[in-house]
Amino acid sequence: MDLSTSTVLVTGANRGFGRALAAELLGRGATVYAGARNPNQVDLPGAKPIALDITDPASVAAAAEAAGDVTVLINNAGSATGADLLSAGLDDIRLEMDTHYFGTLSVVRSFAPRIAANGGGAILNVLSGLSWVSFPEIGAYCAAKSAEWSLTNALRVQLADRGIRVAGLHVGYMDTDMARDVDGAKSDPADIARLAVDGIAADAYEILADNASRQAQTALAGGVSVLYPQLP
């Protein structure tokens, strides 16, 4: 895919990884819509700010009308409530699913027909190594990312004959606000953005951006005893 001739929508592009993605795409000559709940927070020169709350169907529909020339969609917007499945409030657990699963699906349903009408293109869903392994202390996030991975697989098959290639990016922790309380190694968002955009350009279906995601994928094939060695 020639990204220099592409028109891309990045959701959650006002900060963190979304901003890094938008900057990388602009550097390659793409036209970039920077989606954010508050578009006034988009401060990236050259990007086109657009109001978009992926959990609000009316906002998603309005964005699809305003950005009807999109050929590449990057579903990056996310949430991180830190909710576990047994003691956290159900509202926090629902927010994770409403954002990562239903929100992503809502955006795809609104933009896929437009991408197809524009001659086809690509969708990239920003997933996680935690799509494949769950940490109980953030079980709601892990469950939502697993659901988004399943969604990605279904859409990949369903949209192929419409000329839309659906990819998933799996990555561990990045040095962003979302992971500010995480100890341990974190990737530079700019480095992961470059790898992600390289993957889109290469028509990859699955992009494993770091060792954490590669190890999670390997562990998945090993079954429960490998994923959760702490179990008796």
Side-chain angles (χ1 to χ4, degrees):
M1 175 174 289
D2 182 2
L3 289 167
S4 69
T5 63
S6 298
T7 300
V8 187
L9 169 65
V10 181
T11 69
N14 56 302
R15 61 177 181 162
F17 185 52
R19 190 181 188 281
L21 282 167
E24 179 68 26
L25 288 158
L26 286 167
R28 300 194 190 200
T31 299
V32 178
Y33 289 102
R37 284 178 293 181
N38 183 356
N40 293 328
Q41 293 179 346
V42 176
D43 63 354
L44 191 60
K48 298 181 177 182
I50 185 169
L52 178 55
D53 178 349
I54 69 169
T55 66
D56 179 354
S59 176
V60 173
E65 287 294 326
D69 54 340
V70 162
T71 55
V72 177
L73 167 65
I74 300 182
N75 287 304
N76 163 75
S79 61
T81 64
D84 76 78
L85 295 174
L86 294 180
S87 63
L90 287 177
D91 285 347
D92 283 344
I93 296 171
R94 287 192 183 99
L95 176 61
E96 299 282 28
M97 198 64 72
D98 284 345
T99 303
H100 296 285
Y101 183 78
F102 289 109
T104 296
L105 178 59
S106 177
V107 176
V108 170
R109 284 165 64 106
S110 289
F111 277 90
R114 298 175 187 276
I115 295 172
N118 292 331
I123 296 172
L124 175 67
N125 292 336
V126 177
L127 304 173
S128 172
L130 298 178
S131 305
W132 293 324
V133 61
S134 293
F135 294 165
E137 60 271 21
I138 51 170
Y141 177 88
C142 298
K145 280 301 184 185
S146 291
E148 190 181 3
W149 175 49
S150 181
L151 173 154
T152 300
N153 288 328
L155 294 175
R156 181 177 291 139
V157 176
Q158 195 167 6
L159 292 176
D161 63 359
R162 303 186 201 179
I164 301 174
R165 199 171 187 92
V166 180
L169 169 69
H170 294 269
V171 61
Y173 293 118
M174 290 183 281
D175 191 11
T176 65
D177 287 346
M178 187 175 287
R180 61 184 176 275
D181 296 327
V182 174
D183 294 326
K186 302 176 191 177
S187 299
D188 184 333
D191 291 340
I192 304 301
R194 184 176 64 255
L195 289 170
V197 176
D198 283 347
I200 297 172
D203 295 332
Y205 280 123
E206 198 163 60
I207 305 161
L208 276 63
D210 58 10
N211 286 333
S213 57
R214 287 187 284 271
Q215 290 168 359
Q217 186 190 56
T218 299
L220 182 66
V224 172
S225 62
V226 176
L227 286 168
Y228 308 106
Q230 72 271 34
L231 290 174

